[in-house]
Every structure is written in structure tokens, then in C-alpha cells.
Amino acid sequence: MKVDPGDLNAFVAVARAKGFRSGARKSGSSASAYSEAVRRLEAQLGVRLLNRTTRSVVPTEAGQSLLARLGPVLAEMEAALDVVNVFRERPAGTLRLNVPVSASRLVLADIVPGFLAAYPDIQLEIFSEESFVDVIAAGCDAGIRYEERLEQDMIAVPIGPRTQRFAAAAAPAYLERCGRPKHPRDLLNHACLRMRFSSGAMPPWEFEREGEKLRVEPVGPLIVQAGGGTDLAVDAAIAGSGVIFLFEDWLRPHLQSGALVPVLKSWWVSFSGPFLYYPGRRLVPAPLRAFIDFVKADGEQR
């Protein structure tokens, strides 16, 4: 069966964006053109691929199966066509990265401006989310994760700070009102501001000192979505609502200004920094190769 590749691209774009308008906008087309392309594809295949309502567009079971198979295939096609980039004076094209919100804020903020200046013909698309996805199936070229989350068949390149810490902190007014915790277990009697991932997981707070490791699951008046709600939790901590536990780099400006003060600092845990990861079994697109080289050079300068 001969199918128009443009129709397949339209289906993938709409399914990933969960909407005709948003899918077409990201691809520089029109919603009506993409709607017609998907209808044409469904007619040719003889099966419905998308369930459409006035509020959402969701792949059917058949659509999900097709999307899972098409994602890697289209990514390989893009990579194969990208080999002509080596004949250009400067790499060009689109680079799509899937990263946690923390990496977007604490890692990429120091890298992206210089990269864009060095490669003006590359368009960078950043998808920030806290859920762990298959970057290829999601239409991305690479992602950022921490070592324990890396898949074994991925190539990993260090990116950003090589050592990070989680820090506990609270506003001076809160500590004056409620007292300062002297041991991690004391947090069980404090108002703690927690974060929950989209999976529903709410990780415990981990501490370590002189070989003693503790995992604490405190309670408190506020739970926010990790990533999107993090700044709200920080603002609540500054306002005196409770103790927060977050990347030290995220809290540093407020620790330096005195809006927040360290809590249990001798118990803060250090861990290795993040990695840029990508599949090693495919051609590396020129924009990604340029980014990898830029990241490696940045790391050598640190």
C-alpha cells in the first residue's frame, strides 16, 4: 500500500500535539490541511486513527500502534536526510530536546544563549516536563536525565554542573515561629512543602551525614506539581509557610539574599549532575552533533 509521507507526518504531528491546530502550528501548516490529510490517511487505511471531540484529539488503539512505529521511522528519515548538512558551511535545521524543568532552568539557561549565537541557522525546541518519555517516540533528538534514569542503549554526555545538592530551607520568620530542626526526623513535626510528579510519585527527602542515611516523608500544608508548581512552593517558603527541599542552585538566590536560610545543611546530599543522552544506533543529525560539541567544549571550560 502506497501512502503519502506527508499524510503520515500530519498524523504524527496531530497525535503528538493532541490537536489539529497545535500540530499544524508547530509544523508550519494549517489545521484544515492537516485535518484533510488525516481523513485521507484513515480512508486509505480503512481504520480510524484519531478520536475527535470539540475539546481534544486522542489516538485510537490503532492510532497509538501506528504512532509508536512511525515515530522512530520518521526520526531515522530526518537523520538520513540530514547528512547533507555536512556540506553546508554551518549546520542548520531543528534540534528538539526533552528535558526536566529543573534542567531547563539550572542547566540550559547557561548554555542555550551561547549555542544560539554560535549556530544561528539552528532552531532549538525545548520540551520541558517531569515525566520520563521515550525521546525518539516523542519526536525529540535527545534529552537530559540523571544517571539512574538513563537507558543502557543510550549515549550519555555530561552537561552542566557535575555535582549538585538538594537543600532544605525556610524563611527566618518561619524558623522563629516554629523552631529550627536539628535532625532530619524533626521535619516530621514541621510544615513541609512537598512536590508530586505527574506519575503520582512523591519522593521522600533524603539526607546523609557521616555515613548515616535517612529518608524522611514529611507532611505539610502544600503539595505542588513538580516542575510547573515549583516556583509556587518557593514563594510559599519565602512567605513563611514551611520548609522546602529543592535543588540548591534553584534556591541559591534566595539563600544569598536572606529570604531563605539553610536548614540541616550538614545533612545535605550531593549527587552527580545530569547527562545529555541520545540513541547510539542512529545517524546523529547535524544540529545535535553541533550541540554535543558545544556542550563538550562548555564542560572543558568549567
Side-chain angles (χ1 to χ4, degrees), residues 144-164:
I144 294 179
R145 287 184 185 172
Y146 285 86
E147 191 169 7
E148 69 274 10
R149 296 286 186 176
L150 290 173
E151 298 171 13
Q152 292 185 352
D153 61 345
M154 293 287 179
I155 295 177
V157 177
I159 184 172
R162 300 322 309 142
T163 303
Q164 293 181 290

Side-chain angles (χ1 to χ4, degrees), residues 181-266:
K182 297 180 179 179
H183 190 278
R185 283 191 290 268
D186 294 343
L187 292 171
L188 297 174
N189 298 316
H190 279 265
C192 294
L193 312 177
R194 303 291 303 277
M195 297 179 198
R196 177 184 286 131
F197 288 98
S198 56
S199 64
M202 197 154 55
W205 294 6
E206 298 185 2
F207 299 91
E208 181 178 359
R209 188 177 69 176
E210 297 176 354
E212 182 182 3
K213 297 182 180 180
L214 290 172
R215 292 161 62 95
V216 179
E217 297 194 20
V219 297
L222 178 66
I223 299 174
V224 301
Q225 180 91 8
T230 301
D231 280 333
L232 173 60
V234 174
D235 290 341
I238 292 172
S241 298
V243 181
I244 192 168
F245 188 70
L246 188 60
F247 288 96
E248 181 184 7
D249 292 339
W250 200 313
L251 296 178
R252 181 169 284 111
H254 309 297
L255 294 170
Q256 291 175 340
S257 71
L260 294 174
V261 296
V263 171
L264 300 168
K265 189 172 183 177
S266 62

Side-chain angles (χ1 to χ4, degrees), residues 10-278:
F11 161 69
V12 171
V14 171
R16 286 174 174 165
K18 295 182 173 59
F20 285 94
R21 183 175 291 107
S22 53
R25 184 170 55 247
K26 288 183 179 180
S27 303
S29 185
S30 67
S32 59
Y34 267 24
S35 179
E36 179 58 33
V38 172
R39 276 198 297 268
R40 187 165 54 240
L41 181 61
E42 289 177 328
Q44 192 168 1
L45 297 178
V47 63
R48 178 177 287 275
L49 299 173
L50 299 172
N51 285 323
R52 307 142 168 95
T53 70
T54 56
R55 292 173 177 257
S56 65
V57 175
V58 180
T60 62
E61 184 177 358
Q64 290 174 344
S65 298
L66 181 60
L67 181 63
R69 298 294 295 271
L70 278 179
V73 172
L74 292 176
E76 289 292 341
M77 286 180 60
E78 287 184 8
L81 292 171
D82 190 68
V83 296
V84 301
N85 244 327
V86 299
F87 298 100
R88 295 174 54 93
E89 183 178 348
R90 294 185 302 191
T94 300
L95 173 59
R96 300 179 179 91
L97 302 178
N98 183 281
V99 306
V101 174
S102 58
S104 179
R105 177 169 185 150
L106 304 178
V107 176
L108 293 183
D110 292 333
I111 295 174
V112 166
F115 176 74
L116 295 179
Y119 297 96
D121 294 332
I122 294 178
Q123 182 182 59
L124 186 60
E125 291 188 22
I126 306 295
F127 300 89
S128 297
E129 56 184 331
E130 295 303 322
S131 58
F132 297 103
V133 302
D134 182 333
V135 290
I136 303 305
C140 293
D141 301 291
I144 294 179
R145 287 184 185 172
Y146 285 86
E147 191 169 7
E148 69 274 10
R149 296 286 186 176
L150 290 173
E151 298 171 13
Q152 292 185 352
D153 61 345
M154 293 287 179
I155 295 177
V157 177
I159 184 172
R162 300 322 309 142
T163 303
Q164 293 181 290
R165 286 198 301 183
F166 267 102
Y174 173 84
L175 296 176
E176 183 178 345
R177 185 174 72 250
C178 301
R180 178 184 291 271
K182 297 180 179 179
H183 190 278
R185 283 191 290 268
D186 294 343
L187 292 171
L188 297 174
N189 298 316
H190 279 265
C192 294
L193 312 177
R194 303 291 303 277
M195 297 179 198
R196 177 184 286 131
F197 288 98
S198 56
S199 64
M202 197 154 55
W205 294 6
E206 298 185 2
F207 299 91
E208 181 178 359
R209 188 177 69 176
E210 297 176 354
E212 182 182 3
K213 297 182 180 180
L214 290 172
R215 292 161 62 95
V216 179
E217 297 194 20
V219 297
L222 178 66
I223 299 174
V224 301
Q225 180 91 8
T230 301
D231 280 333
L232 173 60
V234 174
D235 290 341
I238 292 172
S241 298
V243 181
I244 192 168
F245 188 70
L246 188 60
F247 288 96
E248 181 184 7
D249 292 339
W250 200 313
L251 296 178
R252 181 169 284 111
H254 309 297
L255 294 170
Q256 291 175 340
S257 71
L260 294 174
V261 296
V263 171
L264 300 168
K265 189 172 183 177
S266 62
W267 288 87
W268 292 358
V269 175
S270 297
F271 51 93
S272 62
F275 292 84
L276 175 74
Y277 72 102
Y278 59 97

